[in-house]
Amino acid sequence: MPGEIATDRRLWELTGKDALHFLQGLVSNDVRPLEKDDGILWTALLSAQGKYLADFFIVRAGGRLLIDIAEGLAEATLRRLTMYRLRADVQIVPCALTVVRGLGEAPAGALPDPRHPALGWRGYGMDGGAPSVDWDAIRVEHVIPESGIELVPDDSYILEAGFERLHGVDFRKGCYVGQEVTARMKHKTELRKGLVKVRIEGEAPVGAEITADGKPAGTLFTRSGGLALAHLRFDRAEGEMRAGEAVLRLAP
């Protein structure tokens, strides 16, 4: 299956001798594997309070260091990265390469999506066609959050969104912005809320409040057929729930 051009992505190139060290002190994942070899990782930029601000791919491809980010998060993230840059030898410039993603056999130079095998591969600067894959169906089936939908700036926590399962956080790397809160959620508390898959019958919009026995239980997000993603309180998610005109239950 040929790849399709991801028109909703922005691509930057980072240059300068401090580029990787700069990212290492900011993001949730360990970027050191990209020091010498081509590769790709998924990571998040957090606030000092540990809340999600943005997620993106960091890519080394053909000797170039790239950031692949959702268009809707790009400008605010660039301003924040520029603020943190201070005197570091780092330049962040637009990159004109296309972002292509696809399923099936990956073409030469493409890299596997690091979040989940079901998401296929990503390529940079290669040919691609029009969108044809139902990515939402794949995301719902495998409980994979999307920038600006399930992942809400200044609101989401990455561990509740599944970043550990999806290889987006490293607990052995050194300090980064928001690391203390994230580590405390991992080691000292039990998650009481999180992103899960639910079965849904009836209609309800994205963002609808979910209730259980009349009490707030969470929020409904992406839907695909009779399944949807929801951010739920685990202690209120065991029986029948409602959102709008829809009835929901946890999916196995």
Side-chain angles (χ1 to χ4, degrees):
M1 180 183 294
E4 60 182 54
I5 296 175
T7 57
D8 58 346
R9 307 296 294 182
R10 180 88 65 91
L11 204 60
W12 299 317
E13 182 173 5
L14 277 70
T15 60
K17 64 181 179 64
D18 298 330
L20 272 178
H21 179 73
F22 166 74
L23 291 173
Q24 181 74 355
L26 292 178
V27 301
S28 62
N29 217 335
D30 187 352
V31 306
R32 290 174 297 180
L34 302 180
E35 286 179 341
K36 297 180 180 179
D37 298 324
D38 282 2
I40 183 171
L41 58 86
W42 184 54
T43 192
L45 182 67
L46 309 179
S47 71
Q49 293 74 37
K51 290 189 175 182
Y52 164 92
L53 296 175
D55 67 291
F56 43 84
F57 299 93
I58 302 176
V59 184
R60 185 173 291 282
R64 306 174 78 172
L65 186 64
L66 308 172
I67 286 180
D68 168 1
I69 188 170
E71 182 70 43
L73 299 174
E75 290 302 324
T77 304
L78 181 59
R79 288 194 297 270
R80 188 167 291 267
L81 291 176
T82 301
M83 177 185 71
Y84 281 126
R85 187 178 60 183
L86 300 176
R87 297 180 181 177
D89 181 10
V90 182
Q91 295 78 47
I92 307 172
V93 297
C95 180
L97 296 178
T98 54
V99 179
V100 178
R101 58 182 181 173
L103 302 176
E105 184 176 354
L111 296 163
D113 192 303
R115 296 170 292 176
H116 195 285
L119 291 171
W121 52 266
R122 303 180 78 84
Y124 300 89
M126 55 183 61
D127 293 333
S132 60
V133 176
D134 187 349
W135 297 104
D136 280 349
I138 296 172
R139 291 197 307 102
V140 170
E141 176 62 29
H142 298 285
V143 193
I144 299 167
E146 180 61 68
S147 312
I149 304 177
E150 292 81 19
L151 292 169
V152 182
D154 289 310
D155 184 70
S156 299
Y157 289 98
I158 61 172
L159 296 191
E160 293 181 358
F163 269 65
E164 183 175 10
R165 175 177 56 88
L166 299 169
H167 318 294
V169 59
D170 189 302
F171 292 102
R172 297 168 297 178
K173 66 171 285 185
C175 294
Y176 59 89
V177 178
Q179 181 262 348
E180 183 177 350
V181 175
T182 305
R184 188 163 61 245
M185 290 181 71
K186 164 68 174 175
H187 297 295
K188 296 186 177 181
T189 63
E190 181 178 350
L191 290 181
R192 298 177 181 177
K193 297 182 288 185
L195 191 67
V196 297
K197 181 169 57 176
V198 296
R199 298 194 181 280
I200 180 169
E201 297 180 5
E203 297 302 318
V206 170
E209 181 184 53
I210 299 171
T211 60
D213 294 328
K215 299 177 181 179
T219 305
L220 181 68
F221 289 110
T222 303
R223 180 173 181 172
S224 176
L227 298 173
L229 295 179
H231 184 265
L232 292 178
R233 282 184 51 163
F234 298 140
D235 63 343
R236 295 182 180 174
E238 295 180 356
E240 184 176 281
M241 297 169 285
R242 294 188 172 274
E245 301 299 319
V247 176
L248 297 79
R249 286 186 177 273
L250 281 179

